[in-house]
Amino acid sequence: MALLGDLFGNSSAVSVQELQNQYGSYLMPQEKIQMGFKLVRDILLFYRSHSFQ
């Protein structure tokens, strides 16, 4: 458990605009980034997909 606490203690929020610029091309047009975090050298993205017509 201490390892997880240490890892998540080192995370920092990344702006949606920065994430959109860097990773937006990997998403489908209806998917929008909601938030993201940088964890050492990894990125965690949370996005929402609006596939309803």
Side-chain angles (χ1 to χ4, degrees):
M1 294 298 283
L3 177 62
L4 289 177
D6 290 341
L7 287 176
F8 288 118
N10 291 330
S11 67
S12 59
V14 181
S15 74
V16 173
Q17 184 63 41
E18 183 179 340
L19 293 169
Q20 187 66 40
N21 291 341
Q22 196 166 9
Y23 301 103
S25 62
Y26 298 113
L27 301 176
M28 299 298 290
Q30 70 273 15
E31 295 175 331
K32 304 295 180 206
I33 296 173
Q34 299 294 309
M35 68 177 69
F37 299 92
K38 184 172 185 175
L39 177 65
V40 184
R41 61 180 176 177
D42 299 322
I43 296 286
L44 301 173
L45 290 177
F46 297 94
Y47 64 93
R48 183 173 299 205
S49 177
H50 296 285
S51 59
F52 299 107
Q53 309 247 341

mmCIF file of all heavy atoms in Angstrom:
data_model
loop_
_atom_site.group_PDB
_atom_site.id
_atom_site.type_symbol
_atom_site.label_atom_id
_atom_site.label_comp_id
_atom_site.label_asym_id
_atom_site.label_seq_id
_atom_site.Cartn_x
_atom_site.Cartn_y
_atom_site.Cartn_z
ATOM 1 N N MET A 1 0.815 -1.197 0.000
ATOM 2 C CA MET A 1 0.000 0.000 0.000
ATOM 3 C C MET A 1 0.858 1.260 0.000
ATOM 4 O O MET A 1 0.478 2.253 -0.584
ATOM 5 C CB MET A 1 -0.943 0.010 1.203
ATOM 6 C CG MET A 1 -1.999 -1.089 1.187
ATOM 7 S SD MET A 1 -3.097 -0.955 -0.217
ATOM 8 C CE MET A 1 -4.135 0.353 0.291
ATOM 9 N N ALA A 2 1.973 1.221 0.659
ATOM 10 C CA ALA A 2 2.833 2.407 0.700
ATOM 11 C C ALA A 2 3.358 2.751 -0.686
ATOM 12 O O ALA A 2 3.499 3.921 -1.029
ATOM 13 C CB ALA A 2 3.988 2.183 1.659
ATOM 14 N N LEU A 3 3.602 1.733 -1.483
ATOM 15 C CA LEU A 3 4.090 1.970 -2.840
ATOM 16 C C LEU A 3 3.062 2.747 -3.650
ATOM 17 O O LEU A 3 3.397 3.705 -4.339
ATOM 18 C CB LEU A 3 4.417 0.654 -3.530
ATOM 19 C CG LEU A 3 4.870 0.761 -4.987
ATOM 20 C CD1 LEU A 3 6.165 1.552 -5.077
ATOM 21 C CD2 LEU A 3 5.047 -0.604 -5.593
ATOM 22 N N LEU A 4 1.788 2.358 -3.547
ATOM 23 C CA LEU A 4 0.740 3.081 -4.275
ATOM 24 C C LEU A 4 0.629 4.519 -3.790
ATOM 25 O O LEU A 4 0.470 5.436 -4.587
ATOM 26 C CB LEU A 4 -0.608 2.370 -4.132
ATOM 27 C CG LEU A 4 -0.736 1.056 -4.883
ATOM 28 C CD1 LEU A 4 -2.088 0.424 -4.597
ATOM 29 C CD2 LEU A 4 -0.532 1.242 -6.357
ATOM 30 N N GLY A 5 0.722 4.715 -2.500
ATOM 31 C CA GLY A 5 0.665 6.071 -1.960
ATOM 32 C C GLY A 5 1.813 6.920 -2.461
ATOM 33 O O GLY A 5 1.643 8.088 -2.793
ATOM 34 N N ASP A 6 2.994 6.338 -2.526
ATOM 35 C CA ASP A 6 4.146 7.068 -3.040
ATOM 36 C C ASP A 6 3.975 7.410 -4.510
ATOM 37 O O ASP A 6 4.294 8.507 -4.943
ATOM 38 C CB ASP A 6 5.427 6.250 -2.854
ATOM 39 C CG ASP A 6 5.837 6.143 -1.395
ATOM 40 O OD1 ASP A 6 5.371 6.972 -0.593
ATOM 41 O OD2 ASP A 6 6.619 5.228 -1.084
ATOM 42 N N LEU A 7 3.471 6.472 -5.286
ATOM 43 C CA LEU A 7 3.283 6.720 -6.717
ATOM 44 C C LEU A 7 2.265 7.816 -6.958
ATOM 45 O O LEU A 7 2.482 8.732 -7.732
ATOM 46 C CB LEU A 7 2.859 5.446 -7.435
ATOM 47 C CG LEU A 7 3.936 4.391 -7.620
ATOM 48 C CD1 LEU A 7 3.346 3.150 -8.265
ATOM 49 C CD2 LEU A 7 5.077 4.918 -8.451
ATOM 50 N N PHE A 8 1.105 7.716 -6.322
ATOM 51 C CA PHE A 8 0.070 8.707 -6.550
ATOM 52 C C PHE A 8 0.408 10.034 -5.888
ATOM 53 O O PHE A 8 -0.096 11.070 -6.277
ATOM 54 C CB PHE A 8 -1.289 8.188 -6.102
ATOM 55 C CG PHE A 8 -1.833 7.121 -7.007
ATOM 56 C CD1 PHE A 8 -2.069 5.850 -6.547
ATOM 57 C CD2 PHE A 8 -2.065 7.393 -8.340
ATOM 58 C CE1 PHE A 8 -2.551 4.861 -7.390
ATOM 59 C CE2 PHE A 8 -2.540 6.412 -9.200
ATOM 60 C CZ PHE A 8 -2.778 5.147 -8.716
ATOM 61 N N GLY A 9 1.284 10.020 -4.905
ATOM 62 C CA GLY A 9 1.745 11.258 -4.300
ATOM 63 C C GLY A 9 2.629 12.047 -5.252
ATOM 64 O O GLY A 9 2.806 13.242 -5.085
ATOM 65 N N ASN A 10 3.185 11.377 -6.253
ATOM 66 C CA ASN A 10 4.068 12.032 -7.221
ATOM 67 C C ASN A 10 3.345 12.438 -8.492
ATOM 68 O O ASN A 10 3.989 12.866 -9.443
ATOM 69 C CB ASN A 10 5.232 11.100 -7.589
ATOM 70 C CG ASN A 10 6.180 10.903 -6.430
ATOM 71 O OD1 ASN A 10 6.333 11.793 -5.613
ATOM 72 N ND2 ASN A 10 6.789 9.751 -6.351
ATOM 73 N N SER A 11 2.045 12.308 -8.528
ATOM 74 C CA SER A 11 1.310 12.671 -9.736
ATOM 75 C C SER A 11 0.983 14.162 -9.720
ATOM 76 O O SER A 11 0.906 14.785 -8.669
ATOM 77 C CB SER A 11 0.016 11.861 -9.849
ATOM 78 O OG SER A 11 -0.872 12.220 -8.822
ATOM 79 N N SER A 12 0.819 14.713 -10.905
ATOM 80 C CA SER A 12 0.434 16.113 -11.018
ATOM 81 C C SER A 12 -0.579 16.256 -12.142
ATOM 82 O O SER A 12 -0.526 15.541 -13.129
ATOM 83 C CB SER A 12 1.660 16.996 -11.285
ATOM 84 O OG SER A 12 2.293 16.596 -12.477
ATOM 85 N N ALA A 13 -1.497 17.183 -11.965
ATOM 86 C CA ALA A 13 -2.534 17.413 -12.973
ATOM 87 C C ALA A 13 -1.920 18.084 -14.199
ATOM 88 O O ALA A 13 -0.985 18.870 -14.095
ATOM 89 C CB ALA A 13 -3.636 18.285 -12.397
ATOM 90 N N VAL A 14 -2.456 17.733 -15.358
ATOM 91 C CA VAL A 14 -2.027 18.313 -16.624
ATOM 92 C C VAL A 14 -3.246 19.002 -17.234
ATOM 93 O O VAL A 14 -4.364 18.488 -17.157
ATOM 94 C CB VAL A 14 -1.491 17.218 -17.577
ATOM 95 C CG1 VAL A 14 -1.015 17.808 -18.875
ATOM 96 C CG2 VAL A 14 -0.372 16.430 -16.917
ATOM 97 N N SER A 15 -3.066 20.155 -17.826
ATOM 98 C CA SER A 15 -4.194 20.898 -18.384
ATOM 99 C C SER A 15 -4.832 20.129 -19.545
ATOM 100 O O SER A 15 -4.151 19.433 -20.297
ATOM 101 C CB SER A 15 -3.760 22.286 -18.859
ATOM 102 O OG SER A 15 -3.016 22.187 -20.049
ATOM 103 N N VAL A 16 -6.135 20.279 -19.667
ATOM 104 C CA VAL A 16 -6.881 19.614 -20.738
ATOM 105 C C VAL A 16 -6.381 20.082 -22.097
ATOM 106 O O VAL A 16 -6.240 19.285 -23.025
ATOM 107 C CB VAL A 16 -8.396 19.863 -20.576
ATOM 108 C CG1 VAL A 16 -9.171 19.338 -21.769
ATOM 109 C CG2 VAL A 16 -8.901 19.227 -19.291
ATOM 110 N N GLN A 17 -6.078 21.357 -22.225
ATOM 111 C CA GLN A 17 -5.594 21.892 -23.500
ATOM 112 C C GLN A 17 -4.274 21.239 -23.903
ATOM 113 O O GLN A 17 -4.081 20.864 -25.060
ATOM 114 C CB GLN A 17 -5.422 23.414 -23.405
ATOM 115 C CG GLN A 17 -5.010 24.045 -24.712
ATOM 116 C CD GLN A 17 -6.055 23.867 -25.796
ATOM 117 O OE1 GLN A 17 -7.248 23.978 -25.546
ATOM 118 N NE2 GLN A 17 -5.617 23.584 -27.004
ATOM 119 N N GLU A 18 -3.362 21.090 -22.953
ATOM 120 C CA GLU A 18 -2.076 20.446 -23.237
ATOM 121 C C GLU A 18 -2.279 18.984 -23.650
ATOM 122 O O GLU A 18 -1.653 18.506 -24.599
ATOM 123 C CB GLU A 18 -1.181 20.521 -22.004
ATOM 124 C CG GLU A 18 0.198 19.940 -22.208
ATOM 125 C CD GLU A 18 1.065 20.048 -20.965
ATOM 126 O OE1 GLU A 18 0.774 20.869 -20.078
ATOM 127 O OE2 GLU A 18 2.038 19.274 -20.896
ATOM 128 N N LEU A 19 -3.171 18.283 -22.951
ATOM 129 C CA LEU A 19 -3.455 16.886 -23.287
ATOM 130 C C LEU A 19 -4.114 16.775 -24.654
ATOM 131 O O LEU A 19 -3.795 15.881 -25.434
ATOM 132 C CB LEU A 19 -4.348 16.257 -22.220
ATOM 133 C CG LEU A 19 -3.702 16.097 -20.845
ATOM 134 C CD1 LEU A 19 -4.755 15.713 -19.819
ATOM 135 C CD2 LEU A 19 -2.584 15.082 -20.897
ATOM 136 N N GLN A 20 -5.032 17.696 -24.941
ATOM 137 C CA GLN A 20 -5.713 17.690 -26.236
ATOM 138 C C GLN A 20 -4.715 17.915 -27.369
ATOM 139 O O GLN A 20 -4.770 17.240 -28.393
ATOM 140 C CB GLN A 20 -6.805 18.762 -26.263
ATOM 141 C CG GLN A 20 -7.682 18.723 -27.481
ATOM 142 C CD GLN A 20 -8.520 17.466 -27.552
ATOM 143 O OE1 GLN A 20 -9.045 16.991 -26.557
ATOM 144 N NE2 GLN A 20 -8.645 16.900 -28.733
ATOM 145 N N ASN A 21 -3.796 18.840 -27.169
ATOM 146 C CA ASN A 21 -2.780 19.104 -28.192
ATOM 147 C C ASN A 21 -1.879 17.904 -28.416
ATOM 148 O O ASN A 21 -1.489 17.610 -29.544
ATOM 149 C CB ASN A 21 -1.930 20.313 -27.793
ATOM 150 C CG ASN A 21 -2.685 21.608 -27.844
ATOM 151 O OD1 ASN A 21 -3.728 21.716 -28.482
ATOM 152 N ND2 ASN A 21 -2.175 22.603 -27.154
ATOM 153 N N GLN A 22 -1.537 17.210 -27.340
ATOM 154 C CA GLN A 22 -0.578 16.118 -27.437
ATOM 155 C C GLN A 22 -1.219 14.786 -27.824
ATOM 156 O O GLN A 22 -0.629 14.013 -28.568
ATOM 157 C CB GLN A 22 0.154 15.964 -26.108
ATOM 158 C CG GLN A 22 1.403 15.141 -26.189
ATOM 159 C CD GLN A 22 2.270 15.286 -24.951
ATOM 160 O OE1 GLN A 22 1.873 15.877 -23.954
ATOM 161 N NE2 GLN A 22 3.453 14.730 -25.016
ATOM 162 N N TYR A 23 -2.427 14.500 -27.331
ATOM 163 C CA TYR A 23 -3.034 13.182 -27.518
ATOM 164 C C TYR A 23 -4.381 13.201 -28.241
ATOM 165 O O TYR A 23 -4.966 12.152 -28.484
ATOM 166 C CB TYR A 23 -3.227 12.493 -26.159
ATOM 167 C CG TYR A 23 -1.928 12.328 -25.416
ATOM 168 C CD1 TYR A 23 -1.594 13.173 -24.355
ATOM 169 C CD2 TYR A 23 -1.021 11.348 -25.780
ATOM 170 C CE1 TYR A 23 -0.398 13.036 -23.687
ATOM 171 C CE2 TYR A 23 0.178 11.196 -25.106
ATOM 172 C CZ TYR A 23 0.478 12.041 -24.058
ATOM 173 O OH TYR A 23 1.674 11.900 -23.410
ATOM 174 N N GLY A 24 -4.884 14.380 -28.578
ATOM 175 C CA GLY A 24 -6.197 14.484 -29.210
ATOM 176 C C GLY A 24 -6.314 13.743 -30.525
ATOM 177 O O GLY A 24 -7.386 13.251 -30.880
ATOM 178 N N SER A 25 -5.227 13.619 -31.244
ATOM 179 C CA SER A 25 -5.277 12.929 -32.538
ATOM 180 C C SER A 25 -5.512 11.423 -32.395
ATOM 181 O O SER A 25 -5.877 10.763 -33.357
ATOM 182 C CB SER A 25 -3.989 13.180 -33.317
ATOM 183 O OG SER A 25 -2.876 12.674 -32.618
ATOM 184 N N TYR A 26 -5.341 10.878 -31.200
ATOM 185 C CA TYR A 26 -5.566 9.453 -30.963
ATOM 186 C C TYR A 26 -7.021 9.139 -30.623
ATOM 187 O O TYR A 26 -7.405 7.979 -30.590
ATOM 188 C CB TYR A 26 -4.686 8.944 -29.816
ATOM 189 C CG TYR A 26 -3.216 9.066 -30.107
ATOM 190 C CD1 TYR A 26 -2.426 9.944 -29.374
ATOM 191 C CD2 TYR A 26 -2.610 8.321 -31.106
ATOM 192 C CE1 TYR A 26 -1.066 10.063 -29.636
ATOM 193 C CE2 TYR A 26 -1.259 8.438 -31.383
ATOM 194 C CZ TYR A 26 -0.493 9.308 -30.638
ATOM 195 O OH TYR A 26 0.838 9.428 -30.897
ATOM 196 N N LEU A 27 -7.814 10.170 -30.357
ATOM 197 C CA LEU A 27 -9.198 9.974 -29.949
ATOM 198 C C LEU A 27 -10.142 10.093 -31.140
ATOM 199 O O LEU A 27 -9.824 10.741 -32.133
ATOM 200 C CB LEU A 27 -9.588 11.015 -28.897
ATOM 201 C CG LEU A 27 -8.763 11.016 -27.614
ATOM 202 C CD1 LEU A 27 -9.206 12.165 -26.728
ATOM 203 C CD2 LEU A 27 -8.873 9.695 -26.887
ATOM 204 N N MET A 28 -11.303 9.477 -31.001
ATOM 205 C CA MET A 28 -12.359 9.616 -32.001
ATOM 206 C C MET A 28 -12.948 11.022 -31.878
ATOM 207 O O MET A 28 -12.847 11.638 -30.813
ATOM 208 C CB MET A 28 -13.443 8.561 -31.777
ATOM 209 C CG MET A 28 -12.945 7.133 -31.898
ATOM 210 S SD MET A 28 -12.321 6.740 -33.528
ATOM 211 C CE MET A 28 -13.816 6.738 -34.463
ATOM 212 N N PRO A 29 -13.558 11.543 -32.939
ATOM 213 C CA PRO A 29 -14.088 12.920 -32.892
ATOM 214 C C PRO A 29 -15.075 13.169 -31.750
ATOM 215 O O PRO A 29 -15.123 14.270 -31.207
ATOM 216 C CB PRO A 29 -14.783 13.082 -34.244
ATOM 217 C CG PRO A 29 -14.092 12.116 -35.131
ATOM 218 C CD PRO A 29 -13.708 10.949 -34.255
ATOM 219 N N GLN A 30 -15.855 12.170 -31.357
ATOM 220 C CA GLN A 30 -16.849 12.363 -30.298
ATOM 221 C C GLN A 30 -16.266 12.207 -28.892
ATOM 222 O O GLN A 30 -16.952 12.444 -27.916
ATOM 223 C CB GLN A 30 -18.044 11.416 -30.479
ATOM 224 C CG GLN A 30 -17.750 9.958 -30.215
ATOM 225 C CD GLN A 30 -17.227 9.201 -31.424
ATOM 226 O OE1 GLN A 30 -16.826 9.794 -32.405
ATOM 227 N NE2 GLN A 30 -17.247 7.886 -31.344
ATOM 228 N N GLU A 31 -14.992 11.848 -28.764
ATOM 229 C CA GLU A 31 -14.361 11.679 -27.467
ATOM 230 C C GLU A 31 -13.693 12.983 -27.039
ATOM 231 O O GLU A 31 -12.976 13.605 -27.818
ATOM 232 C CB GLU A 31 -13.333 10.546 -27.510
ATOM 233 C CG GLU A 31 -13.956 9.202 -27.775
ATOM 234 C CD GLU A 31 -12.944 8.097 -27.943
ATOM 235 O OE1 GLU A 31 -11.812 8.362 -28.385
ATOM 236 O OE2 GLU A 31 -13.294 6.948 -27.643
ATOM 237 N N LYS A 32 -13.938 13.380 -25.813
ATOM 238 C CA LYS A 32 -13.390 14.623 -25.274
ATOM 239 C C LYS A 32 -12.636 14.330 -23.982
ATOM 240 O O LYS A 32 -13.141 13.649 -23.089
ATOM 241 C CB LYS A 32 -14.504 15.633 -24.972
ATOM 242 C CG LYS A 32 -15.381 15.960 -26.165
ATOM 243 C CD LYS A 32 -14.600 16.669 -27.235
ATOM 244 C CE LYS A 32 -15.507 16.981 -28.413
ATOM 245 N NZ LYS A 32 -14.838 17.091 -29.654
ATOM 246 N N ILE A 33 -11.434 14.846 -23.864
ATOM 247 C CA ILE A 33 -10.630 14.668 -22.657
ATOM 248 C C ILE A 33 -11.247 15.482 -21.524
ATOM 249 O O ILE A 33 -11.560 16.658 -21.701
ATOM 250 C CB ILE A 33 -9.178 15.087 -22.905
ATOM 251 C CG1 ILE A 33 -8.539 14.166 -23.951
ATOM 252 C CG2 ILE A 33 -8.377 15.064 -21.602
ATOM 253 C CD1 ILE A 33 -7.151 14.582 -24.391
ATOM 254 N N GLN A 34 -11.429 14.848 -20.375
ATOM 255 C CA GLN A 34 -11.997 15.510 -19.207
ATOM 256 C C GLN A 34 -10.917 15.984 -18.240
ATOM 257 O O GLN A 34 -11.005 17.064 -17.691
ATOM 258 C CB GLN A 34 -12.951 14.557 -18.464
ATOM 259 C CG GLN A 34 -14.114 14.095 -19.304
ATOM 260 C CD GLN A 34 -15.024 15.236 -19.656
ATOM 261 O OE1 GLN A 34 -15.448 15.987 -18.793
ATOM 262 N NE2 GLN A 34 -15.314 15.388 -20.928
ATOM 263 N N MET A 35 -9.902 15.128 -18.016
ATOM 264 C CA MET A 35 -8.794 15.473 -17.124
ATOM 265 C C MET A 35 -7.656 14.504 -17.346
ATOM 266 O O MET A 35 -7.833 13.462 -17.983
ATOM 267 C CB MET A 35 -9.238 15.446 -15.658
ATOM 268 C CG MET A 35 -9.576 14.058 -15.141
ATOM 269 S SD MET A 35 -10.024 13.994 -13.406
ATOM 270 C CE MET A 35 -11.577 14.828 -13.425
ATOM 271 N N GLY A 36 -6.497 14.842 -16.851
ATOM 272 C CA GLY A 36 -5.341 13.973 -16.994
ATOM 273 C C GLY A 36 -4.299 14.261 -15.933
ATOM 274 O O GLY A 36 -4.263 15.343 -15.356
ATOM 275 N N PHE A 37 -3.485 13.250 -15.668
ATOM 276 C CA PHE A 37 -2.441 13.349 -14.655
ATOM 277 C C PHE A 37 -1.156 12.756 -15.190
ATOM 278 O O PHE A 37 -1.175 11.771 -15.919
ATOM 279 C CB PHE A 37 -2.856 12.601 -13.386
ATOM 280 C CG PHE A 37 -4.095 13.131 -12.758
ATOM 281 C CD1 PHE A 37 -5.333 12.609 -13.094
ATOM 282 C CD2 PHE A 37 -4.036 14.169 -11.851
ATOM 283 C CE1 PHE A 37 -6.487 13.103 -12.529
ATOM 284 C CE2 PHE A 37 -5.183 14.671 -11.281
ATOM 285 C CZ PHE A 37 -6.415 14.139 -11.620
ATOM 286 N N LYS A 38 -0.060 13.356 -14.826
ATOM 287 C CA LYS A 38 1.250 12.825 -15.173
ATOM 288 C C LYS A 38 1.802 12.142 -13.932
ATOM 289 O O LYS A 38 1.825 12.724 -12.852
ATOM 290 C CB LYS A 38 2.184 13.934 -15.631
ATOM 291 C CG LYS A 38 3.513 13.415 -16.096
ATOM 292 C CD LYS A 38 4.346 14.499 -16.729
ATOM 293 C CE LYS A 38 5.607 13.853 -17.283
ATOM 294 N NZ LYS A 38 6.412 14.794 -18.015
ATOM 295 N N LEU A 39 2.233 10.908 -14.106
ATOM 296 C CA LEU A 39 2.752 10.109 -13.008
ATOM 297 C C LEU A 39 4.126 9.616 -13.410
ATOM 298 O O LEU A 39 4.247 8.692 -14.210
ATOM 299 C CB LEU A 39 1.804 8.936 -12.739
ATOM 300 C CG LEU A 39 2.182 7.939 -11.680
ATOM 301 C CD1 LEU A 39 2.208 8.605 -10.313
ATOM 302 C CD2 LEU A 39 1.197 6.792 -11.672
ATOM 303 N N VAL A 40 5.157 10.264 -12.931
ATOM 304 C CA VAL A 40 6.552 10.005 -13.279
ATOM 305 C C VAL A 40 6.702 10.124 -14.793
ATOM 306 O O VAL A 40 6.836 11.219 -15.301
ATOM 307 C CB VAL A 40 7.050 8.652 -12.730
ATOM 308 C CG1 VAL A 40 8.521 8.463 -13.013
ATOM 309 C CG2 VAL A 40 6.768 8.525 -11.240
ATOM 310 N N ARG A 41 6.634 9.039 -15.548
ATOM 311 C CA ARG A 41 6.759 9.145 -17.009
ATOM 312 C C ARG A 41 5.512 8.649 -17.738
ATOM 313 O O ARG A 41 5.507 8.529 -18.950
ATOM 314 C CB ARG A 41 7.984 8.380 -17.491
ATOM 315 C CG ARG A 41 7.927 6.917 -17.172
ATOM 316 C CD ARG A 41 9.154 6.212 -17.665
ATOM 317 N NE ARG A 41 9.082 4.821 -17.240
ATOM 318 C CZ ARG A 41 9.966 3.932 -17.544
ATOM 319 N NH1 ARG A 41 10.984 4.252 -18.295
ATOM 320 N NH2 ARG A 41 9.840 2.710 -17.119
ATOM 321 N N ASP A 42 4.452 8.345 -17.002
ATOM 322 C CA ASP A 42 3.191 7.882 -17.577
ATOM 323 C C ASP A 42 2.150 8.987 -17.524
ATOM 324 O O ASP A 42 2.228 9.896 -16.710
ATOM 325 C CB ASP A 42 2.662 6.663 -16.825
ATOM 326 C CG ASP A 42 3.614 5.487 -16.894
ATOM 327 O OD1 ASP A 42 4.222 5.289 -17.959
ATOM 328 O OD2 ASP A 42 3.762 4.786 -15.888
ATOM 329 N N ILE A 43 1.161 8.878 -18.398
ATOM 330 C CA ILE A 43 0.036 9.819 -18.420
ATOM 331 C C ILE A 43 -1.248 9.021 -18.214
ATOM 332 O O ILE A 43 -1.448 7.984 -18.851
ATOM 333 C CB ILE A 43 -0.046 10.558 -19.777
ATOM 334 C CG1 ILE A 43 1.186 11.425 -19.994
ATOM 335 C CG2 ILE A 43 -1.313 11.377 -19.882
ATOM 336 C CD1 ILE A 43 1.240 12.680 -19.168
ATOM 337 N N LEU A 44 -2.114 9.493 -17.337
ATOM 338 C CA LEU A 44 -3.438 8.912 -17.143
ATOM 339 C C LEU A 44 -4.449 9.885 -17.734
ATOM 340 O O LEU A 44 -4.529 11.033 -17.315
ATOM 341 C CB LEU A 44 -3.735 8.710 -15.653
ATOM 342 C CG LEU A 44 -2.780 7.804 -14.888
ATOM 343 C CD1 LEU A 44 -3.095 7.851 -13.405
ATOM 344 C CD2 LEU A 44 -2.869 6.396 -15.409
ATOM 345 N N LEU A 45 -5.204 9.436 -18.725
ATOM 346 C CA LEU A 45 -6.223 10.265 -19.360
ATOM 347 C C LEU A 45 -7.606 9.774 -18.978
ATOM 348 O O LEU A 45 -7.863 8.577 -18.988
ATOM 349 C CB LEU A 45 -6.114 10.188 -20.883
ATOM 350 C CG LEU A 45 -4.934 10.841 -21.549
ATOM 351 C CD1 LEU A 45 -4.984 10.590 -23.046
ATOM 352 C CD2 LEU A 45 -4.899 12.310 -21.264
ATOM 353 N N PHE A 46 -8.493 10.689 -18.695
ATOM 354 C CA PHE A 46 -9.896 10.386 -18.468
ATOM 355 C C PHE A 46 -10.671 11.146 -19.527
ATOM 356 O O PHE A 46 -10.528 12.362 -19.651
ATOM 357 C CB PHE A 46 -10.326 10.805 -17.062
ATOM 358 C CG PHE A 46 -9.598 10.048 -15.981
ATOM 359 C CD1 PHE A 46 -8.454 10.567 -15.420
ATOM 360 C CD2 PHE A 46 -10.044 8.812 -15.584
ATOM 361 C CE1 PHE A 46 -7.755 9.880 -14.441
ATOM 362 C CE2 PHE A 46 -9.368 8.103 -14.603
ATOM 363 C CZ PHE A 46 -8.224 8.633 -14.044
ATOM 364 N N TYR A 47 -11.454 10.424 -20.292
ATOM 365 C CA TYR A 47 -12.196 11.063 -21.357
ATOM 366 C C TYR A 47 -13.627 10.557 -21.392
ATOM 367 O O TYR A 47 -13.957 9.548 -20.769
ATOM 368 C CB TYR A 47 -11.514 10.839 -22.717
ATOM 369 C CG TYR A 47 -11.464 9.397 -23.153
ATOM 370 C CD1 TYR A 47 -12.455 8.864 -23.955
ATOM 371 C CD2 TYR A 47 -10.424 8.577 -22.764
ATOM 372 C CE1 TYR A 47 -12.423 7.544 -24.338
ATOM 373 C CE2 TYR A 47 -10.374 7.257 -23.145
ATOM 374 C CZ TYR A 47 -11.372 6.751 -23.934
ATOM 375 O OH TYR A 47 -11.345 5.429 -24.314
ATOM 376 N N ARG A 48 -14.463 11.282 -22.097
ATOM 377 C CA ARG A 48 -15.873 10.945 -22.217
ATOM 378 C C ARG A 48 -16.203 10.778 -23.696
ATOM 379 O O ARG A 48 -15.778 11.558 -24.525
ATOM 380 C CB ARG A 48 -16.717 12.060 -21.634
ATOM 381 C CG ARG A 48 -18.201 11.757 -21.653
ATOM 382 C CD ARG A 48 -18.925 12.810 -20.914
ATOM 383 N NE ARG A 48 -18.434 12.772 -19.543
ATOM 384 C CZ ARG A 48 -19.117 13.187 -18.505
ATOM 385 N NH1 ARG A 48 -20.283 13.705 -18.666
ATOM 386 N NH2 ARG A 48 -18.604 13.131 -17.306
ATOM 387 N N SER A 49 -16.960 9.743 -23.977
ATOM 388 C CA SER A 49 -17.370 9.479 -25.365
ATOM 389 C C SER A 49 -18.871 9.701 -25.469
ATOM 390 O O SER A 49 -19.646 9.106 -24.733
ATOM 391 C CB SER A 49 -17.026 8.042 -25.750
ATOM 392 O OG SER A 49 -17.484 7.774 -27.037
ATOM 393 N N HIS A 50 -19.278 10.565 -26.388
ATOM 394 C CA HIS A 50 -20.697 10.824 -26.635
ATOM 395 C C HIS A 50 -21.082 10.123 -27.920
ATOM 396 O O HIS A 50 -20.966 10.680 -29.003
ATOM 397 C CB HIS A 50 -20.955 12.321 -26.753
ATOM 398 C CG HIS A 50 -20.681 13.062 -25.499
ATOM 399 N ND1 HIS A 50 -21.522 13.003 -24.427
ATOM 400 C CD2 HIS A 50 -19.647 13.840 -25.137
ATOM 401 C CE1 HIS A 50 -21.039 13.745 -23.450
ATOM 402 N NE2 HIS A 50 -19.882 14.254 -23.861
ATOM 403 N N SER A 51 -21.530 8.888 -27.802
ATOM 404 C CA SER A 51 -21.874 8.128 -29.004
ATOM 405 C C SER A 51 -23.388 8.060 -29.221
ATOM 406 O O SER A 51 -23.854 7.378 -30.099
ATOM 407 C CB SER A 51 -21.295 6.716 -28.905
ATOM 408 O OG SER A 51 -21.799 6.059 -27.772
ATOM 409 N N PHE A 52 -24.156 8.775 -28.399
ATOM 410 C CA PHE A 52 -25.603 8.765 -28.560
ATOM 411 C C PHE A 52 -26.003 9.689 -29.702
ATOM 412 O O PHE A 52 -25.422 10.743 -29.908
ATOM 413 C CB PHE A 52 -26.293 9.216 -27.267
ATOM 414 C CG PHE A 52 -25.987 8.309 -26.111
ATOM 415 C CD1 PHE A 52 -25.129 8.717 -25.106
ATOM 416 C CD2 PHE A 52 -26.536 7.051 -26.034
ATOM 417 C CE1 PHE A 52 -24.825 7.906 -24.053
ATOM 418 C CE2 PHE A 52 -26.252 6.219 -24.977
ATOM 419 C CZ PHE A 52 -25.400 6.645 -23.991
ATOM 420 N N GLN A 53 -27.006 9.294 -30.429
ATOM 421 C CA GLN A 53 -27.439 10.069 -31.596
ATOM 422 C C GLN A 53 -28.656 10.890 -31.276
ATOM 423 O O GLN A 53 -29.515 10.601 -30.602
ATOM 424 C CB GLN A 53 -27.740 9.137 -32.748
ATOM 425 C CG GLN A 53 -26.593 8.199 -32.964
ATOM 426 C CD GLN A 53 -25.881 8.428 -34.263
ATOM 427 O OE1 GLN A 53 -26.407 9.039 -35.160
ATOM 428 N NE2 GLN A 53 -24.665 7.965 -34.364
#
